[in-house]
Amino acid sequence: MTTGRITESMLERSALGDLQRAVRRVADAQRRVSSGRDLVRPSDDPLRTARALAARNELALVRELRDNVRDASTWQDVADKALGNISDYLQRARELIVQGANDAVGQRGRDAIARELDEIIAAIKQEANASYAGRYVFAGTATQTRPYDPNGADTYAGDAGVIERAIGPGVRITVNVVRGGALLGQGQAANDGLILDTLRDAADQLRTGTPAALNALRTTTLQAVDRNLDELGRARAEVGATTQRLESADARLAELELSVGTLRSEAEDADMAKAITDLIAQQTAYQAALRAGANVLQTSLLDFLR
């Protein structure tokens, strides 16, 4: 049996290898401390790496859902404010109609009321053009199309399409619960009895001023105004119910985000006290390897000189 002779070059290579490994361990320990992450590379712990990746993916999904909820909530806020303003305008129009239907009001007064109704119609159409983030909230899916021309015809330019957002795993919600055409209508040409048609009729009846026109104003037209006010109330209630549902969804998602974030942290983040202790230990080991390597290399050099 032969025994291999340990040469100076073998000792040198061994010392250098020890130093390189010590340097890598120090570098890994430093990265853990500086990054706060326990997993420097996937091979450190494949099982924890898989858990961390799964948690990251789920966290990204939860945050995307929360973004959807916030977007939908702001949409409801814009819609509710516009509907509230339209309701105020329509209530003012009702007061004017009651005033104009009074026989004591002369034709000049009725003409002035009719002009104010024209202004209210333009203001209502402007409210129906409410937008959020460059999208018209009452235009159906035609969000880049202005629903109404405030100074033109009463034709609705949007559509009846539905916009939905995912707010949970397998859960979707309609964002545009109110479409302008279903409330304001298409004007007198459509004879749909909705807001624009009703107010145009009222203005015409005031300008006509005949007993038959005034009788229609105080009966049929006033009743139509009341029906439209009721519809506005129902629309606002639907927006309010959607807002409450979104608030509940956001609360659930916030809890889920915290829970998943904790799982990700447990899978990825380092125990800082342990990481710092390990760094100190690796630095100490490196210094020891450095001193040992220096002795080996110094001895080899002296042997060479002799």
Side-chain angles (χ1 to χ4, degrees), residues 85-107:
N85 291 338
I86 291 173
S87 182
D88 291 342
Y89 282 128
L90 190 56
Q91 187 61 50
R92 172 58 181 164
R94 187 186 191 284
E95 295 170 0
L96 291 172
I97 289 170
V98 171
Q99 179 183 341
N102 192 321
D103 292 332
V105 177
Q107 189 55 46

Side-chain angles (χ1 to χ4, degrees), residues 198-221:
T198 299
L199 294 184
R200 293 294 186 194
D201 283 348
D204 288 348
Q205 289 159 355
L206 285 165
R207 288 188 173 96
T208 301
T210 63
L214 295 179
N215 184 59
L217 182 67
R218 66 174 64 97
T219 55
T220 306
T221 302

